[in-house]
Amino acid sequence: MKLPRRTFLHLAAGTAALPIASPAAVRGEGTITPTGAIRIVERTQYYAKPGLAAEVLDIRRKASAVRVSIGLPAGEILIKHPGGDGSEPDVVWQCTFADLRDADLAARAASAEFESVRVQMRKLYARFERQVLRSHLFNCLSGYWPEPATRHSKTGHSPIK
């Protein structure tokens, strides 16, 4: 069957507009699916001591395996790209939560194996940073941004907590 050029171009354009999901997202790894509009993203950044970036990555992988063994999502591990400016961390781990981050923290704290991995990691990095961020999901179909629960009283601007 011969496909007319115009039909082919319409199909190609429609395919290009489809959202692209990572394989980890498709498998449900690395995230706890949000039930509401607000997501919490925990991101840890590891700046390895000179010559120890590979070891930091190995221990972060081990920490993710321990997370899975205690019933938590593995999270996502990112590594420094060679094209960067050199200021970025050697290894980054991140995980997305709906409202279950407190349960995640409690499970990690209760795990002797996870604490052992933390002790090993502390010997390998020169600097460690943790960010906990809140993200609002945008509904593309309606153009609706969910409103936060509170507003700043003087300016009317929503606080970011």
Side-chain angles (χ1 to χ4, degrees):
M1 171 181 149
K2 187 171 180 178
L3 194 60
R5 179 184 164 111
R6 181 177 298 252
T7 304
F8 172 77
L9 292 174
H10 283 282
L11 290 173
T15 302
L18 290 174
I20 298 172
S22 71
V26 171
R27 292 188 305 270
E29 296 174 4
T31 61
I32 296 175
T33 305
T35 56
I38 296 176
R39 297 180 304 160
I40 304 298
V41 178
E42 179 180 352
R43 181 176 296 147
T44 56
Q45 300 179 353
Y46 304 90
Y47 297 82
K49 290 179 181 176
L52 297 179
E55 287 84 352
V56 168
L57 177 59
D58 287 343
I59 297 298
R60 184 59 250 182
R61 287 178 176 152
K62 184 176 180 181
S64 291
V66 171
R67 287 180 59 80
V68 171
S69 76
I70 60 176
L72 300 174
E76 181 179 14
I77 298 173
L78 308 167
I79 57 172
K80 183 188 285 191
H81 188 283
D85 68 4
S87 66
E88 55 279 309
D90 296 289
V91 177
V92 174
W93 173 84
Q94 66 183 24
C95 193
T96 303
F97 305 90
D99 55 4
L100 303 174
R101 182 169 177 268
D102 290 339
D104 190 277
L105 291 171
R108 286 186 267 171
S111 170
E113 188 176 9
F114 196 83
E115 183 55 34
S116 171
V117 171
R118 280 183 171 155
V119 169
Q120 292 174 5
M121 182 66 89
R122 287 183 189 121
K123 297 174 185 174
L124 301 175
Y125 62 73
R127 187 168 115 212
F128 170 83
E129 295 177 1
R130 172 178 285 126
Q131 295 93 30
V132 178
L133 310 164
R134 184 171 81 172
S135 170
H136 287 276
L137 300 178
F138 178 68
N139 183 333
C140 297
L141 298 176
S142 69
Y144 168 72
W145 282 100
E147 285 294 319
T150 60
R151 288 197 163 279
H152 190 279
S153 59
K154 290 184 181 180
T155 64
H157 294 189
S158 300
I160 298 175
K161 294 181 181 178

